[in-house]
Amino acid sequence: MHLAIITQDMRGAPRTVLVLSERPHPWAFLRDSLNPELVSVEWARPSKLGAHVALAVPWSVAGTGTRPPNLAHRAGNLFSCRWVGPAPDRLPVRPLIRPSWQAIASDLEQALSVDLRGLCLAPGRGLRLPDGSFASRVAELEALLGAHPDGVELLGRSVRESARRVSALIERLGLPLQVSCASGRIWLTEVEDLANGSAA
Amino acid sequence: MVAPPEALLLEDDLDELQALARVVRDAGLEPISASRPRQALSRLENHDPLLAVIDLDMSRAPASGRGSSVHEVLHRLHSHHLNCIPLIYSAGVETIDAQAGVYLSHPHALFQSKRHGFERLLGRIQGLLGGNVGDLAIRGGVVVHLPSGRTMSHRVGVALLTAKRANRSVVLRASEARAARRFQQWLDELGSPVLVRALGGRHYQVAVREPAAS
């Protein structure tokens, strides 16, 4: 029996951080810094962002340089974005500006270990639910969990459709969370926070 | 009778090639040996290895075999053999630029420097092929449930466990996904905490069931 021949299909592939930089050093640094059980680190030069990395929606993007990468096909997708130094104008998500790659690694380590009322990222992909069970095909919720508490700000796009999808998912999974959105930003809120009036 | 999983070995040092073949055979896999890239590409026409151990430096390969490059082999593995884990064993992978060069040919290659010696490489291979996942291990090319000693020889199970050891998922076709479900049934019958997770998009990975939160 042959397991392949299968052509590339990265949809549903393990969670990835996509590093956008002309030099490979940030990729190697993050690859060696982050827990490989939880995330794989991909790399592309902004000038050559190719289909081999573009097929999968990254869980997070980290980049440097002002040359705009071609991420137009990712417009409307939820993922967090961090940037070292001045960022290009045309990114689909507003980046969090960080002073160094060490700071980005630290951010991502923290994002990978978020535990929100027992909800956390499962190895590979998917979520570990508060009762210990596993949920797959929840990429948007994974992205928002990793971006908690700041959330994700989509540029030039409404987040209402994303918010509806994530809300439906939260309801289906019976999670004690709610999704909030305002001014292009979308974020997760614990239900008790809402009761205290701390969410938008 | 299920054929044992295979490992592609691309090494231009014939002594090392033979030693690698012994290790792979001891681990229960069938070695597919090649001493030059063109030969490796030819082997891949008819084989689908689970693991590929590849030396980047082909300076000892006969000139007639250098028409193709190691990077072509890596490209082929990435485009046609998604579940194969390439392990680059080379003196030339210690710099980030060198690793980036390999990455562009195959983004999921693992690296093992020749500077650390052959024994370390063997340990790495044995770790990939023989390490435990929960209460399961690969022994002699089959999955063994350690508490009961029962075995599962289907190749999908071996591929799933090896991929887990490399922190990767496997991509399965429909018939293979059915085999993965049978593997899950076998695990359930044994009361194993290991489970097969469908990650979506034909990707599967094994995980060890975590206790429910109190």
Side-chain angles (χ1 to χ4, degrees):
Chain A
M1 187 196 94
H2 283 245
L3 283 176
I5 306 294
I6 299 171
T7 53
Q8 286 184 56
D9 184 348
M10 295 297 286
R11 288 170 299 171
R15 183 180 302 120
T16 58
V17 170
L18 173 60
V19 174
L20 296 173
S21 63
E22 290 301 327
R23 303 286 293 133
H25 300 77
W27 157 73
F29 174 65
L30 290 185
R31 179 199 63 185
D32 295 342
S33 302
L34 302 177
N35 182 351
E37 271 208 329
L38 289 172
V39 74
S40 93
V41 181
E42 306 277 339
W43 169 55
R45 294 188 171 100
S47 54
K48 295 178 180 171
L49 185 54
H52 74 288
V53 288
L55 283 169
V57 180
W59 172 71
S60 183
V61 168
T64 189
T66 54
R67 185 172 191 150
N70 181 11
L71 286 170
H73 57 293
R74 288 284 156 249
N77 291 137
L78 293 184
F79 55 86
S80 61
C81 183
R82 295 170 177 82
W83 217 260
V84 177
D89 292 332
R90 284 175 287 169
L91 289 173
V93 171
R94 185 177 300 285
L96 300 170
I97 305 299
R98 291 292 182 254
S100 65
W101 285 98
Q102 284 85 354
I104 285 189
S106 174
D107 272 10
L108 290 171
E109 277 176 27
Q110 200 172 345
L112 288 167
S113 62
V114 165
D115 183 330
L116 191 58
R117 303 283 293 270
L119 181 72
C120 51
L121 298 175
R125 184 110 219 198
L127 291 168
R128 182 180 180 271
L129 303 182
D131 65 358
S133 61
F134 170 75
S136 63
R137 297 180 178 84
V138 288
E140 289 184 313
L141 196 45
E142 287 181 59
L144 287 183
L145 186 66
H148 184 73
D150 297 325
V152 174
E153 183 177 347
L154 299 186
L155 297 173
R157 284 263 179 164
S158 166
V159 291
R160 291 193 182 284
E161 186 53 38
S162 301
R164 266 194 292 273
R165 283 196 303 271
V166 177
S167 284
L169 195 54
I170 286 172
E171 190 174 356
R172 179 167 65 81
L173 297 173
L175 300 173
L177 302 173
Q178 189 154 340
V179 64
S180 303
C181 62
S183 306
R185 193 163 71 89
I186 176 170
W187 69 98
L188 291 177
T189 316
E190 295 179 59
V191 170
E192 63 192 16
D193 287 350
L194 282 173
N196 294 336
S198 61
Chain B
M1 180 69 186
V2 177
E6 299 165 326
L8 175 71
L9 309 174
L10 174 54
E11 169 59 74
D12 61 346
D13 182 320
L14 296 181
D15 291 335
E16 288 198 354
L17 187 60
Q18 286 179 0
L20 280 172
R22 277 196 298 274
V23 171
V24 162
R25 201 170 281 118
D26 286 349
L29 274 74
E30 187 64 31
I32 308 164
S33 299
S35 58
R36 50 194 188 276
R38 185 183 293 173
Q39 196 177 30
L41 287 170
S42 173
R43 298 270 197 271
L44 287 173
E45 295 287 337
N46 301 306
H47 295 276
D48 185 29
L50 189 64
L51 176 73
V53 182
I54 293 176
D55 182 6
L56 284 184
D57 175 14
M58 285 287 119
S59 58
R60 296 190 201 192
S64 61
R66 290 191 219 144
S68 307
S69 74
V70 172
H71 287 277
E72 284 175 72
V73 177
L74 288 167
H75 270 301
R76 176 74 65 83
L77 289 174
H78 184 50
S79 60
H80 287 76
H81 303 269
L82 271 186
N83 296 323
C84 178
I85 300 167
L87 177 58
I88 307 298
Y89 176 59
S90 175
V93 292
E94 297 201 345
T95 68
I96 290 169
D97 284 322
Q99 293 181 8
V102 171
Y103 176 91
L104 295 174
S105 299
H106 197 307
H108 304 122
L110 305 176
F111 298 99
Q112 182 67 43
S113 172
K114 273 196 174 178
R115 187 168 62 87
H116 296 131
F118 199 65
E119 289 304 315
R120 191 81 73 87
L121 171 69
L122 305 188
R124 188 87 185 268
I125 294 173
Q126 285 161 348
L128 283 170
L129 299 177
N132 293 14
V133 175
D135 57 3
L136 304 180
I138 301 173
R139 299 282 185 269
V142 300
V143 178
V144 180
H145 179 245
L146 296 170
S148 67
R150 288 180 61 189
T151 60
M152 163 66 88
S153 60
H154 202 288
R155 202 186 138 110
V156 164
V158 178
L160 281 163
L161 255 63
T162 307
K164 177 64 177 173
R165 297 285 303 169
N167 293 307
R168 293 177 50 168
S169 60
V170 297
V171 185
L172 301 179
R173 296 182 300 196
S175 60
E176 294 152 359
R178 285 194 292 276
R181 285 192 286 276
R182 286 198 300 275
F183 182 48
Q184 179 66 71
Q185 286 166 4
W186 181 73
L187 294 171
D188 290 342
E189 286 166 16
L190 294 171
S192 171
V194 177
L195 50 102
V196 181
R197 283 177 175 167
L199 302 181
R202 302 186 298 163
H203 286 255
Y204 293 79
Q205 191 176 53
V206 290
V208 181
R209 189 178 280 117
E210 296 175 54
S214 58

